Amino acid sequence: DGFKILLSNPIVWLCCLAFFFHVPVEAAVATWATTLMTNKGVTEERSAILLSAFWLTFLGSRLVTALTLPVGADGILVLTMAGCCILMTLGIVLSRTAGMICTMVILAGLVLGPIFPTLIAILFTHVDKALHGRAVGLFFCIGGIGWTVIPMIIGSYAERTTVQRAFLICTASATMLTILSAILLMNL
C-alpha cells in the first residue's frame, strides 16, 4: 500500500515535519509584517510597500534558488536557511527601531522563500514517482496543521503581550525547523 510505504520513509517524515515548523513562520511574517512595522512608527502606506518588497524578495529568492542551486546542495540550503530563520525571527523580536524591523521583514523574504520548494524537491527525490501525489498530500496535511495551530498560539500570546514578542514562538518553530533540517541532511 502506498501510504504504508510513505509512512515508513524517514525522509518523508522529516520533510513533512520540517514543513510543519517552516510554514507557520512564513505565515506569521506575511500576516503580521505590517503590524510589526506600524507599531514601530512606519506609515501604513510605507508598510504596504515594504510588504510588497517582502513578497518580491520571497519570490526572487525562490527563482534564484531554482536557477542556481547545485545538484546535491538542497539539504545544505534548507539547513542554512533554517538557521538564518532563527536569526531573522530573533531579529524581529529584538528590533528597537523602524529601520531594523523593516530590514528584518525584507530579509525574511530572502530566508523563507527557498525552504518550501527545496523541501518538496527533497521529498520528490526520495519517493517513487507513483507516490508523488500522496506524498504531496501528506506534506500539505502535516504542514497545514502547523500552519493552523502555531499561528493561533502566536496570536493568543500576542494578545497577552505584543506581536513582536510573540515572534519568540516563531523562533522556537525556526529552531525545530533547524533541528529537523540537520537530521534530514544527515539522512540524505
Side-chain angles (χ1 to χ4, degrees):
D1 179 50
F3 275 114
K4 284 183 184 176
I5 293 169
L6 289 176
L7 295 176
S8 66
N9 184 332
I11 300 297
V12 170
W13 277 107
L14 289 166
C15 287
C16 290
L17 291 172
F19 190 54
F20 176 95
F21 288 107
H22 159 71
V23 76
V25 178
E26 187 179 301
V29 173
T31 301
W32 288 302
T34 54
T35 301
L36 288 165
M37 291 184 282
T38 57
N39 285 348
K40 290 292 181 204
V42 179
T43 65
E44 285 189 31
E45 181 181 325
R46 186 150 188 258
S47 294
I49 290 167
L50 289 168
L51 182 61
S52 295
F54 159 78
W55 284 115
L56 287 172
T57 306
F58 181 88
L59 294 172
S61 68
R62 283 188 174 178
L63 179 61
V64 169
T65 299
L67 297 175
T68 63
L69 186 66
V71 173
D74 44 8
I76 292 170
L77 176 73
V78 171
L79 178 58
T80 301
M81 292 297 109
C84 289
C85 199
I86 294 171
L87 297 175
M88 176 269 300
T89 57
L90 276 176
I92 288 173
V93 171
L94 300 173
S95 290
R96 297 291 170 237
T97 65
M100 184 65 166
I101 202 80
C102 293
T103 300
M104 289 297 107
V105 167
I106 302 304
L107 284 175
L110 184 68
V111 169
L112 294 168
I115 296 173
F116 158 72
T118 308
L119 284 172
I120 282 283
I122 293 168
L123 182 69
F124 279 175
T125 58
H126 290 85
V127 170
D128 185 82
K129 275 188 174 187
L131 298 175
H132 279 186
R134 290 180 188 183
V136 168
L138 184 63
F139 183 81
F140 277 106
C141 178
I142 292 172
I145 294 167
W147 196 333
T148 303
V149 173
I150 294 174
M152 285 174 34
I153 295 167
I154 294 167
S156 176
Y157 189 64
E159 286 178 358
R160 290 178 289 170
T161 61
T162 66
V163 170
Q164 187 175 359
R165 186 166 173 87
F167 265 74
L168 284 170
I169 296 167
C170 287
T171 303
S173 193
T175 301
M176 289 303 302
L177 169 63
T178 304
I179 291 166
L180 289 162
S181 298
I183 296 168
L184 177 63
L185 181 60
M186 290 185 297
N187 284 280
L188 291 179

